[in-house]
Amino acid sequence: MNIGEIAKRAGVSRSTVSYALSGKRSVSEETRRKIQQVIDELGYRPNASARALANGRTSTIGLVFPPAGAHYTGMQLDFIGSVVEAAAAYDYDVLLSPSGVDSDRSFQRLLAERRVDGAILMEIRLRDDRVDHLVAENFPAVCIGRTAHPDSDWWVGLDHTALVEACVHHLADLGHHRVAFVNRPEHLLRSGYESAHRGLDGFTKAAAERGLTVRTYSCGDDAPSGQACLERILHDDPATTALVTLNEAALGGLYRGLAVAGRHVPRDFSVTGVVASRWAETVTPQLTAADVPAEQMGRLAVELLVERLGHPDTAPRHHLLAPPISLRASTGPVHPRTGSDS
């Protein structure tokens, strides 16, 4: 069924049907009712591409995410799901577009062909050429994370610096003096991955304030890498009694490494970090952590993008979130036998 058949049955021109559907020109109420009656009888649904040509909108949001290595982390999947759900509430579809070394052509097509009305960018780098390109193209977008100069951008972010600082202070208050930091993979640090750098800054700052002996580690996003990293930690400094991590995908491996080493959590070793709550609750004992509000972040990102699309001249807005640490069961006071200077 097409516009021509609707026009024939309603006794009007094709252009009148097009105007009635797009709202580009006024159509009398009587004519509009006649056209709508035919549409209802025929069960007509306008083609999305035709609708986009008619009103300049695709009713689609692009979600630009990094290509997976072996897999996506639970936090990434939670966020993708929350964006899709929030967009549906505004009657938007979501088009997923990978962006990375081997997949930037997808991102370029997304912009050049105007397949979407706006975009949400995940995994922001401190210096991010994708953000620069969107600004140059005047393309509506919202970032998940902050560049080094975020004042002119629309974004939703976690205050990784403050969250990791809070984790370090929590451990120091429990009497821990030798603490390790388990970060994301080395290649993400080299690329300027925002949360990894800001988290490292928070760890370094808080450790210096509390006079702690610390070591920092990059770790792959998987359990075997987590176990190998824990082995390195205990090899480098067997007196280490606690760690802070940003790497939820390695969490199971970190726990396994402690079990293999005969370190009981939290009696012999405390673990904390910045992790999505449902992943913090899958390990035993459950992880004391600053819970990443992935669902809230996805909803806020969609709300900001819808606001930007509806009001293009609005000044840039953002949300910086700093959830409190949820005390669970993975941290405790230094045990006299493991705390070398307690």
Side-chain angles (χ1 to χ4, degrees), residues 305-342:
L305 185 55
V306 170
E307 178 184 349
R308 186 172 186 184
L309 292 171
H311 306 280
D313 297 328
T314 301
R317 296 209 306 113
H318 60 264
H319 298 283
L320 182 61
L321 308 179
I325 291 179
S326 296
L327 296 176
R328 297 189 178 93
S330 66
T331 55
V334 174
H335 193 280
R337 288 179 299 175
T338 57
S340 60
D341 48 2
S342 298

Side-chain angles (χ1 to χ4, degrees), residues 28 41 59 152 182 305 313:
S28 71
E41 290 173 354
S59 296
S152 60
V182 179
L305 185 55
D313 297 328

Side-chain angles (χ1 to χ4, degrees), residues 191-202:
S191 69
Y193 187 64
E194 180 251 348
S195 63
H197 278 271
R198 294 193 196 275
L200 179 59
D201 289 345

Side-chain angles (χ1 to χ4, degrees), residues 60-78:
T60 303
I61 289 172
L63 179 58
V64 182
F65 60 96
H71 60 278
Y72 291 106
T73 69
M75 196 183 305
Q76 289 171 330
L77 294 174
D78 285 348

Side-chain angles (χ1 to χ4, degrees), residues 7-206:
K8 180 180 178 181
R9 296 197 182 202
V12 298
S13 68
R14 291 171 59 95
S15 59
T16 300
V17 175
S18 177
Y19 296 148
L21 291 173
S22 68
K24 281 197 168 184
R25 293 190 186 178
S26 61
V27 176
S28 71
E29 188 59 34
E30 181 182 352
T31 300
R32 190 183 301 278
R33 280 200 303 268
K34 189 186 300 182
I35 292 170
Q36 188 60 52
Q37 183 178 350
V38 173
I39 288 174
D40 292 342
E41 290 173 354
L42 298 177
Y44 173 76
R45 294 291 181 271
N47 177 273
S49 298
R51 189 169 59 237
L53 287 172
N55 61 21
R57 286 290 183 91
T58 65
S59 296
T60 303
I61 289 172
L63 179 58
V64 182
F65 60 96
H71 60 278
Y72 291 106
T73 69
M75 196 183 305
Q76 289 171 330
L77 294 174
D78 285 348
F79 178 77
I80 291 171
S82 71
V83 167
V84 171
E85 184 176 342
Y90 287 97
D91 203 24
Y92 276 93
D93 296 323
V94 176
L95 176 64
L96 300 180
S97 174
S99 173
V101 174
D102 300 319
S103 55
D104 276 340
R105 286 165 60 185
S106 172
F107 178 61
Q108 296 296 336
R109 284 196 303 271
L110 195 74
L111 302 184
E113 300 175 15
R114 293 282 166 163
R115 297 184 176 188
V116 296
D117 298 331
I120 295 173
L121 272 68
M122 295 173 60
E123 312 293 336
I124 295 299
R125 298 183 286 271
L126 290 173
R127 298 181 63 182
D128 202 309
D129 55 0
R130 300 172 304 166
V131 178
D132 295 339
H133 189 64
L134 288 168
V135 171
E137 293 286 328
N138 195 28
F139 193 88
V142 172
C143 301
I144 304 304
R146 296 170 288 160
T147 64
H149 305 285
D151 291 345
S152 60
D153 304 327
W154 292 67
W155 51 269
V156 178
L158 280 181
D159 193 342
H160 286 91
T161 302
L163 295 180
V164 172
E165 283 182 12
C167 290
V168 173
H169 288 303
H170 170 64
L171 293 174
D173 289 343
L174 291 170
H176 294 277
H177 294 276
R178 309 184 82 86
V179 181
F181 181 56
V182 179
N183 208 334
R184 301 293 301 282
E186 178 63 30
H187 72 273
L188 292 181
L189 278 167
R190 288 197 305 268
S191 69
Y193 187 64
E194 180 251 348
S195 63
H197 278 271
R198 294 193 196 275
L200 179 59
D201 289 345
F203 180 81
T204 303
K205 179 174 179 287

Side-chain angles (χ1 to χ4, degrees), residues 243-286:
L243 67 82
V244 179
T245 185
L246 291 178
N247 196 325
E248 68 174 23
L251 189 59
L254 294 171
Y255 268 56
R256 188 181 307 137
L258 288 167
V260 170
R263 300 288 184 99
H264 179 274
V265 178
R267 185 189 64 213
D268 306 320
F269 203 101
S270 289
V271 183
T272 186
V274 183
V275 176
S277 60
R278 75 183 183 93
W279 299 97
E281 293 169 356
T282 60
V283 291
T284 303
Q286 293 186 358

